[in-house]
Structure formats: structure tokens, C-alpha cells
Amino acid sequence: MTRYGEYVEVRKDAGTHVAELVLDRPKAMNAVSTSMATAIGEACAALSADRDVRAVVLTSSNERAFCVGADLKERNRFTDAELGRQRPYARAAYTGVLQLPMPTIAAVHGFALGGGFELALSCDLIVADATAVVGLPEVSVGVIPGGGGTQLLPRRVGAARAAELIFTARRVAAEEARGLGLVDELVAEGADRAEALALAARIAAHSPVGLRAAKRALRTGWGMALAAGLEVEDAAWRTVAFSGDRAEGVAAFNEKRTPEWPGE
């Protein structure tokens, strides 16, 4: 277990190769302050460099919320100049999660609003429990989604649906969120973390080289013309095809045993 600043904790399970990135500012419902944003960025940088981690689950220590977004009490004290200086730290937090090279899963319960929902959208998959309420309400306080929301949401639900959700600033409860594709899996109240960790463990059982290459192909190919996307896929395939993981995977299949991935 490693702490990053006061508000972020990383727990690693050596047996499953899964890391849990815990948002741990419970008294503020994980409102993202400058110090918390800095810690998220630092934790993501460390995880990105950790070759033993094959999947990451983003969780919350607060029972009522995943994350309520930016710390508006802190923002209210900022001058324009201070807000400008804070922006790179905020961006580093969201891009840190988005650019993690291994598969990522958000475990969402309670409120995931504004920057909180953007942290979830930055993950590859979102598991939500029945208490989840998600949304991007930024225009209601005079700003816009600035943690990737205007780009990530339409990639999930299409341009028109994203426009409706962002322009109205409305909050979406769990059942509707699942129906709209805002979350990927809906589970019983209180089961989001356990299900996300179990899903991450199933993912992490596979080739770490393959997982990273598959994610790279998926992410890089977003929005590209098909021909260009296929070139991206081919480049990612080549990084795996001549790897130790590929040799071990084929050998294990033929020998009818569980692979022991070298991770290279």
C-alpha cells in the first residue's frame, strides 16, 4: 500500500496483478482539490511504470460518492491567475487516468458528477451500483467539462446524446445510465468495488503484453478512418506477435496448461 499525498492510496494485489487506485478524501466526498489532483497524477505515473500491474480499478473510500468533481470551495478562493496556474495539475489527473497503459475499471457508487464522472469516463469500463448518479453539470456553474468530458462522452453515447446531457447539466440515475451506455455494468447496491475487482482479476489473468497492445490499438484508433485504424492495429499486433508472451501463450495452449506470462 502506497500513499500519494493525503488523499490518494494505491493498493496492489501481487496474486492477481491488479492495483486499486483509491480516491480517499471522504470528508469532502472526494472533491478534487489541487493537492488531490497532483496526487492522482503522481499515482498514475507510478502505475504506468509498474510492469507488474496488469489492470487498475479506480475506487472511492466514501460511502456516498465516487467523486463529486472539482473542489468548488477551493476554486471560489482562486484569482483568475491562480486558476490558470492550477489547470495543469487538474489536467494531469484526468490524463493520468486516461493514459494508463493497462485496462482500467471505475467502480462507481453514489455521486459521480463533473470531474468525478470524467475520471470514470477516463477508464475503459465503468461498473456502477444501484445508488450511482452520474452527470456533467459544469454549465450550471458557468464552466464546461474540462477533464475530457466533451470528448469522452460522445465516444460513449454519440454526439447528440452527449450534447443533451452536457447542455441540460442533468443528473442521471443508475438504471437510466445503464440504458444510455453511460456505465457498462449495473450491480446491486454496495457491490461495485467487489465486481470491478473481480472483473479486473479476470482481465489480468491474460497476457500483459497483449492487454497493453490491445488497449493501445483501441485508444489510438478512435476516430480514425478504417484504413488508418487497421494500420494502428497491425503495429500493435507486431509488438505482441514476436513477444515472449505470444510464445508462452501458444505453448501453454498446446500443452493444456495455464500460461506463465513473462510480460515481455
Side-chain angles (χ1 to χ4, degrees):
M1 182 172 63
T2 305
R3 297 289 301 190
Y4 293 86
E6 187 178 355
Y7 302 127
V8 174
E9 181 174 285
V10 171
R11 306 166 186 165
K12 291 191 288 186
D13 186 330
T16 63
H17 298 277
V18 171
E20 185 177 358
L21 177 57
V22 186
L23 305 177
D24 188 28
R25 195 186 178 200
K27 292 182 179 179
M29 299 178 76
N30 290 328
V32 182
S33 62
T34 303
S35 60
M36 185 173 179
T38 302
I40 293 170
E42 291 173 350
C44 288
L47 286 168
S48 293
D50 192 335
R51 301 297 297 188
D52 192 54
V53 175
R54 301 179 188 172
V56 173
V57 178
L58 182 59
T59 66
S60 163
S61 65
N62 183 277
E63 294 182 357
R64 294 182 53 217
F66 173 73
C67 174
V68 294
D71 185 341
L72 296 184
K73 290 182 180 179
E74 179 188 67
R75 294 276 181 95
N76 191 49
R77 297 193 299 268
F78 282 167
T79 64
D80 287 352
E82 288 170 335
L83 180 60
R85 287 194 294 270
Q86 192 260 0
R87 177 64 174 161
Y89 298 99
R91 286 200 70 185
Y94 299 108
T95 57
V97 176
L98 184 65
Q99 294 175 359
L100 283 169
M102 66 288 288
T104 53
I105 304 168
V108 173
H109 58 264
F111 297 111
L113 301 172
F117 189 38
E118 288 173 303
L119 286 172
L121 289 171
S122 296
C123 294
D124 299 300
L125 298 167
I126 302 174
V127 175
D129 84 351
T131 69
V133 178
V134 305
L136 296 176
E138 283 88 345
V139 297
S140 70
V141 292
V143 291
I144 69 166
T150 64
Q151 305 305 304
L152 296 170
L153 189 58
R155 284 169 165 81
R156 267 190 166 266
V157 299
R161 178 61 68 192
E164 182 264 322
L165 292 168
I166 291 170
F167 295 163
T168 63
R170 71 184 181 94
R171 301 179 179 191
V172 183
E175 286 286 351
E176 184 184 4
R178 177 65 182 90
L180 294 177
L182 299 173
V183 303
D184 302 298
E185 186 172 347
L186 186 59
V187 298
E189 180 176 345
D192 54 294
R193 177 177 175 270
E195 181 54 37
L197 288 169
L199 177 56
R202 294 197 296 273
I203 291 170
H206 301 303
S207 158
V209 174
L211 289 170
R212 289 180 179 229
K215 176 165 180 171
R216 188 165 63 251
L218 283 163
R219 288 292 181 91
T220 306
W222 274 354
M224 285 187 172
L226 178 59
L230 290 173
E231 291 302 315
V232 168
E233 181 183 80
D234 184 67
W237 176 86
R238 290 176 184 277
T239 66
V240 179
F242 307 107
S243 70
D245 273 15
R246 193 277 308 172
E248 168 62 10
V250 172
F253 177 83
N254 284 289
E255 295 165 16
K256 297 181 173 57
R257 61 175 174 81
T258 301
E260 296 182 8
W261 305 113
E264 56 185 20

